[in-house]
Amino acid sequence: MMEQLEEKCFLDESETILNKKAVYEPTKGQRFRQVVCTRGWAIATLMMTGTVLVGVALIAAFARPAMAPCEVSVAGDNSAALAASAAAGGAASSESSSSKHDKEKGGEEQTYVATNGEPFPWKELRLPKTLVPQAYDIFLHPNISRSEFSGQVEMILRVMEETDAIVFHVNELNISNVAVHMGKSNTTFSQALAIVKQLEYKTNQQFYVQLAERVSAGSFLKVVVKFSGELKRDVMDGFYQSSYTVNGEERYMASTQFEATDARKAFPCLDEPALKATFKLSIVREKKHISLFNMPLMTSEPYGESPNLILDKYNPSPKMSTYLVAFIVCDFKNVSALTRAGTLVRVFAPEDKIYMGKYALDAAVAVLENYTSFFGLPYDLPKADLIAIPNFEAGAMENWGLITYRDTAILYDPAISSQDSKKWVTQVVAHELAHQWFGNLVTMDWWDDLWLNEGFATFVEFLGMDVVDSSFQGQNSLSMESVSALYKDSLINSHPIKVPVKNPAEIASVFDSISYEKGAALIRMLESVLGKSSFRKGLKNYLTENAYGNAVTGDLWRAWQQVSTVKDLSVSEMMDTWTLQMGYPVVSVAWDSRTLHLSQERFIRLEKKDPEPEKEDFKSPFGCTYLTFKLHFLLAMWEQTGFFSLVPLPDGVDGDNVLWLKGNKDLNGFYRVNYDAKGWKKLTDQLKKDHTVFSVSDRIGLMEDAFCLAMAGHLNYSVVLGMVEYMSRETDYFVWKTVLPHLDFLSQRLLLEEEYDLLRDLALSVIRPRLEALGWSSAGDVTTRQLRKSVIQAAIDYEDQASIDRATDLFAEWKKNQNYSMNNELRYVAYQAGVTYGNKDDWDLVYDRYMDSNVASDKEHLQLALGTSRDVRVLQILLQYTQDSSKVKTQDSAQVVRKVARNRNGLLLAWRFLRQQWDLLMERYGVKSAIIRRMVLIVSNFNTKFDLDEVKEFFKDKELGSAARPLHQSVELIESHVVWSEKYMPEVKSWLQKNRRRR
Ligand code: BES
Ligand code: ZN
């Protein structure tokens, strides 16, 4: 399950309780509709004469103590589920203000002393509102061979309030000169202004210019700043360089990564997302290079004395945020195509890799064309470039018109890459293109609303993916994403979607699965409530109204409210309960002959004995963590009368004859559903008899809920393990992808117990039928091939000897002949088996091929396989290689360490390594580094109190920056593992004893 804590770019892993009482009473018409079920249910109804099916989709919304009537939803309708909180009144403020009590790096109170020892007058992290930028004209002269750059930026600022000070952002740049002119318009700046003081305050990455006179509101300033900086290697933010090899020759390129707060590392600027302006660029390059910018090239001319230098000048951009600016100097080649609307789309990569850009190019064209109609607005720039960056921290970055990608997220070689790789490329392309509208055209006002960008792009990426190839099954993929967010949001160390953030480390820390997957899940939930047509209409209005500007979450709700045709729905009241407090409910469902009993409580993975006081930051604005839910279309009356919602069953429905009842239809709602023993029994019987009456998303939901409810003590393991038995007939990839990590969770816990073998036998007993049906061929569509890979890998993980033999045979063939035509799905399986069951020579061979490989996805497979050795010596060597970027690129160092930590022979080595390297890593990558954020996750593999104490002790006094939350979540997971072993292990063991399988 650890993967589920992973950040977005590595997709692969007590509270006060307020009892609520309510009664739902449906009207006759509504009762009638309640039994009009989904197709699956209808069929089942016909088959089971004498039984009545009641399909109910519940949806939960957080609500304040004072309840009022709510909306209701029933399955089988397109709008599936409707949640409307009964809450009324003011939502929490969207503004996150800077505090006067910010902490300096070491945790000391901030002193606000500038680099020259003088007091720094501006004491806020946010810039003053006195000046607003209008236009930037940037000149840059990068010198790649000397790893440096110099430049000049001309900023046109509008004076909003009278002032004598200019504050802008700058980080790790040397500022050599500042000049300020004033003008009455933004084109003529006749009056030079004297500067009294220039101060830099590194902690807040700010520069302060004190003018000799005050400038009045309505006038304009032209601020010209000369600067220089280092073009760093091995860091992956600001303006930095990467190296790559073409035919054995090492080459260098320079590119940018600004989101969230690193534009200020490349040029002085007012680096906040709401401070939008136009950008012009002139950039010097060598003749052998090209340059790229958000906008098309205007002119190229010789530069200075050197015959080797060219100055490229670019068209000005539309109004946009600083974090979306990008420029690149490289010698890449491109492939290109035009969309129907005439937009030029190009994919750039090193010359020996450019053939692998064709797939992304076709995908990008298809997706762009589709989004134009989906968003109802054209793509706004004349061109869209997509480029593979050799060293890149995230998966990809949506810079407007110049989207940068990690090589594995854009390059696809049909002859070698796997279906997983094809899907990932499609998904990332679709995600970043969604941002061109959602994020770039309309941008969140501040980072506390990051989810607007990322949640929405995540929601849309699954639509875009299906445009390229519907066999990716975008909606089922999105269900998987929701499930991973449900998992993460069940931790006490989760956070509300909208979260106050101030400094760069806090901002970096919200790029996580709450902003992405929970955000996407909530948008899907709302779409199901509004209906597709209103959803799209509202979206278009939102984009049109806010184009080239900024928005807060409330603006989106308002846009949907205006087009909503759902009676009595207050979009913001409903959605605020989901976005302003963390967590979500588990809805318990039971029924007797006449009535449905529904109750709800917050679902928490690990109930603490002594609940910690709710974190101040995350206090629920609703004053409670209890929830209210509604049954869509079933609504008639709502009363607060008891602990439960009692819903009379429709006329003619006898509860005693209900075949089964399944809540949260198609996983459209962001909550879990629990049933009583009878309810689970009926569902299990149906799964075993014919699981296909449930949709794939419903099966994902059932299995995921069952496992997670058991993990948290809400359900007996005997129920869940009984349900697992049906998996021997499950043929769906997504359901397997849900269940396998849960079996893995059990095997991680039972690994050192005698009963491990029994668990293994259970796992293999359900895996084997799939294994036999799928074989080892490369036949089938995308998900069949993905499933084959997953079950073979699982069989090997559970030490199925026949599978191990077959995989090691494949490895042996490949060892003999590198060009051996291998089933691409099985490459990783073979490499891994070769390394795990091979010797040091095998490891060396895989290492050599890894170093030589030209295909990013295959290189990654080879690299990760290295971490699966059982030889601690090579694992230690591999850990050391992560600190040498000629062996493991910095972008990959965390994933390699994590791979070693997932290996039972490597966990302690990796933990020791992390501790040894901690100070160095922090110094090298800094407090907002994603590398560190990813590395700390390794501790979540621990199981025991001893390890828990050790982890706590080590991190006690450490400055964690953006790794704080991932660490706290990992610690919570270890705690949950300790509790699990105490509380639930005996039950699992005894079930396994009683239900032994044949091997
Ligand atoms: N805006 C992000 C890139 C980013 C992430 C910038 C973290 C700064 C910090 C981009 O749109 C993104 O979300 N990329 C994903 C890929 C996507 C398919 C989810 C990523 O990098 O993993
Ligand atoms: Zn994104």
Side-chain angles (χ1 to χ4, degrees), residues 8 259 396 398 431-432 435 453-454 457-458 461 511 516:
K8 184 62 191 172
E259 193 178 16
E398 68 266 25
H431 177 100
E432 305 310 336
H435 276 312
N453 268 17
E454 297 302 349
T458 303
E461 92 197 27
F511 287 85
Y516 282 76

Side-chain angles (χ1 to χ4, degrees), residues 719-774:
V719 174
V720 189
L721 294 168
M723 287 167 79
V724 168
E725 292 175 334
Y726 110 86
M727 290 299 291
S728 59
R729 278 186 288 114
E730 180 56 78
T731 57
D732 185 80
Y733 166 68
F734 297 95
V735 184
W736 275 102
K737 265 295 213 201
T738 306
V739 171
L740 285 172
H742 283 292
L743 292 177
D744 184 55
F745 173 90
L746 296 179
S747 74
Q748 298 294 328
R749 309 284 88 74
L750 288 171
L751 198 60
L752 304 178
E753 308 291 322
E754 256 180 66
E755 288 77 3
Y756 174 77
D757 284 344
L758 300 176
L759 175 71
R760 223 191 101 199
D761 295 343
L762 170 68
L764 286 176
S765 75
V766 291
I767 289 169
R768 280 222 181 90
R770 246 353 69 226
L771 201 57
E772 277 153 25
L774 290 165

Side-chain angles (χ1 to χ4, degrees), residues 418-435:
S418 63
Q419 299 298 303
D420 281 346
S421 148
K422 185 162 102 180
K423 178 174 173 180
W424 181 233
V425 169
T426 319
Q427 197 170 336
V428 183
V429 166
H431 177 100
E432 305 310 336
L433 287 175
H435 276 312

Side-chain angles (χ1 to χ4, degrees), residues 73 89 104 112 115-116 296 334 431 525 533 552 720 725 731-732 752 881 894 937:
S73 136
E104 207 82 64
Y112 301 100
T115 42
N116 65 356
N334 75 79
H431 177 100
M525 182 162 92
S533 146
V552 295
V720 189
E725 292 175 334
T731 57
D732 185 80
L752 304 178
Y881 284 179
L937 300 179

